[in-house]
Amino acid sequence: LPHDEEDVHMAVESELGKRLGAVAARLHTARSRNDQIALDLRLHVRDRGAELLRAVATLLASLAERGARETETLLPAYTHRQRAQPISAAFLVASWGVGLARAADTVVFALDQLEMPLGSGACSGTSLPIDRALVARLFAPWEPTRNALQTVGDRDFALDFTWSVARVMLALGRMATDLVDFATSEFALVKLDGAIAAGSSMMPQKRNPDVFELVLRKSARSVGHVVALLALMKGLASGYNRDQQEDQLPLLEAGPLALGCVRVVELALPHVTFDRERGARALDEGFTQATDLAEALVRRGVPFREAYKAVGRLVALAVDEGVPLRAVGEAKAQAIHALLDAHALEALDPKTAVAAKESIGGTGPRAV
């Protein structure tokens, strides 16, 4: 800024004076720094929100394309960090996409809340015959804000935006957690190629998921932005207060942080490969199809509670014998329940189990 100007607003007026002459002195008519700051911050939210939505849309398209290629890749779903039921990798990828799309909806909401503050003045409007609605329509187009005192002290739009950014980052973080876990030797459900896997300075065997670890932890910063703004605005008096300038660090960092993480995940995902053999072995080793077997009995008229108990006894038998559920055999299964015959036991095939779940939101191919 020129050293003799008080702030950026006066610097703009001064520069316009050099270019346009005396008419520039009319620039601040019915305006205050307060409503101009309120406008600048809203414009920042509008632009950063639009950028973020474009990036999220690109990532969602990539996830949809990736899911379409993974319908035949099977692996366990997890609840309580325990193997639960068979799913397709397409279903897992779709779950990431749904979470991200719902987060993007909150960004849309934040942008829809934006209103035009110009003309609010310092805190009470103006006696001059201005047309705020015309300015709002020409400039944004938005609706004009409804109360000048509230407008100049309002940071609800900043809270909405930082909250929506945090939602995007939380969605990315959950995806990143899955990939960090699944890349370990304990899960071994995905492989990372050398383009994104970092090595160790001491252990030559290591292939570390640094990209996804960093995305996961940067989501904590987004949560911090929301908390910082909540703490800043808590208990503030009406109107503008100078300490509100502390809104700028969390607000100005929020959008670029999320945008960078979305783009990094977009670049990294093509270098992640699902291990189909490992996924199949994980399903063969345990009891993830137990619910599917119970539902097979239900489809034949057995009450669910009875089917649940029968399959529970079959699982207990498999545990005692130290074999997977599929290895117990028809004779022992029918000794527990007469309808646990070869036809019912077909439900223990992971492919059959996945293909059967065509309810809305299920892991069946058409549902996905």
Side-chain angles (χ1 to χ4, degrees):
L1 292 178
H3 72 277
D4 55 343
E5 301 298 347
E6 183 178 359
D7 56 34
V8 66
H9 309 290
M10 293 304 301
V12 169
E13 182 176 323
S14 175
E15 181 61 27
L16 287 175
K18 295 175 183 177
R19 299 185 187 189
L20 303 177
V23 70
R26 300 181 181 276
L27 180 63
H28 279 248
T29 305
R31 294 181 184 177
S32 162
R33 281 181 296 197
N34 292 354
D35 62 353
Q36 292 191 91
I37 290 170
L39 173 63
D40 291 344
L41 292 177
R42 285 167 170 81
L43 292 175
H44 172 81
V45 166
R46 181 193 66 178
D47 293 346
R48 298 295 81 74
E51 284 181 343
L52 183 56
L53 284 174
R54 282 193 290 269
V56 169
T58 300
L59 178 53
L60 286 171
S62 295
L63 290 172
E65 182 182 351
R66 180 61 178 271
R69 301 200 306 268
E70 301 289 358
T71 56
E72 301 299 319
T73 304
L74 306 185
L75 69 159
Y78 290 81
T79 62
H80 306 278
R81 312 304 288 153
Q82 307 292 318
R83 291 177 188 171
Q85 292 184 281
I87 60 171
S88 68
F91 185 62
L92 173 64
V93 172
S95 77
W96 298 338
V98 168
L100 191 59
R102 287 171 62 88
D105 285 342
T106 68
V107 180
V108 174
F109 173 84
L111 298 184
D112 284 344
Q113 304 310 300
L114 293 173
E115 296 174 319
M116 172 56 69
L118 281 183
S120 295
C123 64
S124 63
T126 179
S127 63
L128 297 171
I130 63 172
D131 187 345
R132 292 192 63 214
L134 175 62
V135 173
R137 287 196 302 272
L138 292 176
F139 200 96
W142 295 330
E143 294 297 318
T145 56
R146 288 164 287 178
N147 183 286
L149 183 62
Q150 198 275 336
T151 294
V152 297
D154 168 34
R155 293 298 181 268
D156 291 348
F157 68 92
L159 283 166
D160 288 338
F161 181 61
T162 54
W163 160 249
S164 70
V165 167
R167 285 287 306 276
V168 170
M169 291 297 293
L170 290 173
L172 293 178
R174 297 196 76 174
M175 181 195 314
T177 297
D178 284 343
L179 291 169
V180 169
D181 283 351
F182 290 171
T184 64
S185 57
E186 285 74 16
F187 285 83
L189 294 172
V190 300
K191 298 177 181 178
L192 310 179
D193 71 30
I196 62 169
S200 164
S201 62
M202 187 175 183
M203 296 171 285
Q205 84 280 10
K206 294 293 292 297
R207 295 176 70 84
N208 298 321
D210 290 31
V211 169
F212 300 111
E213 290 176 304
L214 290 171
V215 168
L216 171 60
R217 292 310 160 203
K218 287 183 185 296
S219 64
R221 287 168 62 184
S222 289
V223 173
H225 294 151
V226 180
V227 174
L229 282 175
L230 287 170
L232 172 65
M233 300 306 295
K234 177 184 176 297
L236 275 185
S238 298
Y240 179 74
N241 301 272
R242 187 62 170 177
D243 40 357
Q244 284 178 240
Q245 73 176 24
E246 291 299 311
D247 62 2
Q248 294 187 27
L249 190 151
L251 180 57
L252 299 184
E253 187 181 61
L257 177 66
L259 181 65
C261 287
V262 170
R263 288 174 172 171
V264 163
V265 170
E266 163 76 17
L267 291 171
L269 281 176
H271 301 284
V272 176
T273 304
F274 285 96
D275 190 329
R276 292 191 175 191
E277 292 183 5
R278 174 57 184 165
R281 286 201 304 274
L283 294 172
D284 281 336
E285 290 169 358
F287 313 105
T288 56
Q289 291 83 268
T291 301
D292 301 286
L293 182 56
E295 290 183 351
L297 293 180
V298 171
R299 288 195 296 272
R300 300 174 73 175
V302 179
F304 177 77
R305 190 54 54 198
E306 178 184 337
Y308 177 91
K309 291 179 178 179
V311 176
R313 290 195 295 273
L314 187 65
V315 169
L317 176 61
V319 171
D320 289 341
E321 294 186 355
V323 297
L325 197 56
R326 294 178 69 183
V328 172
E330 181 180 7
K332 292 180 181 179
Q334 284 195 294
I336 292 174
H337 195 290
L339 291 180
L340 284 173
D341 55 20
H343 178 67
L345 293 175
E346 289 177 0
L348 295 177
D349 183 339
K351 292 182 180 180
T352 301
V354 168
K357 290 188 173 69
E358 290 292 359
S359 59
I360 294 174
T363 189
R366 288 189 299 278
V368 172

